[in-house]
Amino acid sequence: MSTEPAKDTKPKRGLPCPCGSGKLFELCCEPVLTGLQTAATAEQLMRARFTAHVAHDFKFLHQTYRPTSDKPYVAEAGEPTMHWTKLVVHAHELTDNPDKAFVDFSAYGTEEGVEKVLHEKAEFLRTNGTWLYTREARLGPAPFKSAAPKVGRNDPCPCGSGKKHKQCCLLKA
């Protein structure tokens, strides 16, 4: 059994918010976590959910996850092994539906001394004015898309041979 005191994971007033917004905790995620205000955007809820992971506020996570939001919260035994350290929001995408949005983010943490990263595109829905996390839309970074135009079979070969692509480098592929 460890003799070390339990690490205080609660975010502190007067210090930067763990969500990485650059704002003080009391001006950023604290009002959302305490219920004084609802998240105005899906990104704001994403940041508050990350801060809840840092603070081990599992009740907030339960209440802001669509499949469990209408069910009573029951605490589970044990502490998580992941200690979240940093959040980077890559994109906040709105859709044609004003009550649906996506947040592409990377959440960094350490587990057993090893740094890990979770890169996810998450879907959020607004129900009765409240944003809820609904699901993982994509795990990992976005697929790579080449900026170069695709060479057609009958186009001149890009190697400069003067032959059609299908009779030159396409055969070598």
Side-chain angles (χ1 to χ4, degrees):
M1 186 165 153
S2 175
T3 58
E4 291 181 31
K7 185 178 177 188
D8 183 10
T9 60
K10 301 283 186 214
K12 305 278 188 284
R13 298 182 116 231
L15 294 176
C17 191
C19 77
S21 68
K23 299 176 185 174
L24 294 176
F25 172 62
E26 63 269 20
L27 301 175
C28 190
C29 290
E30 184 183 39
V32 177
L33 291 171
T34 59
L36 292 176
Q37 75 180 52
T38 59
T41 65
E43 180 180 344
Q44 190 178 21
L45 178 61
M46 178 66 241
R47 290 183 179 282
R49 285 180 56 82
F50 176 82
T51 300
H53 276 289
V54 170
H56 297 177
D57 186 349
F58 303 116
K59 184 175 183 181
F60 179 82
L61 295 169
H62 176 87
Q63 292 169 337
T64 58
Y65 180 48
R66 189 168 182 228
T68 60
S69 64
D70 60 346
K71 295 178 175 58
Y73 173 71
V74 178
E76 294 182 20
E79 286 290 316
T81 57
M82 180 68 83
H83 297 283
W84 297 103
T85 57
K86 180 173 90 171
L87 176 69
V88 177
V89 175
H90 304 294
H92 178 205
E93 303 168 16
L94 304 175
T95 66
D96 292 340
N97 178 349
D99 293 326
K100 183 177 184 178
F102 295 92
V103 178
D104 191 355
F105 68 93
S106 293
Y108 296 82
T110 58
E111 187 173 36
E112 297 176 4
V114 177
E115 184 177 55
K116 297 186 177 186
V117 63
L118 168 68
H119 191 150
E120 179 181 324
K121 182 176 184 178
E123 179 185 72
F124 294 83
L125 292 176
R126 185 168 39 195
T127 307
N128 299 324
T130 302
W131 283 103
L132 297 172
Y133 169 76
T134 58
R135 66 183 181 93
E136 163 193 300
R138 183 193 74 242
L139 190 59
F144 174 76
K145 292 184 181 178
S146 175
K150 187 174 178 181
V151 180
R153 292 174 40 84
N154 291 319
D155 291 339
C157 192
C159 75
S161 68
K163 296 180 181 179
K164 288 185 177 184
H165 182 58
K166 68 181 178 185
Q167 297 172 335
C168 189
C169 290
L170 185 63
L171 292 174
K172 298 173 189 169

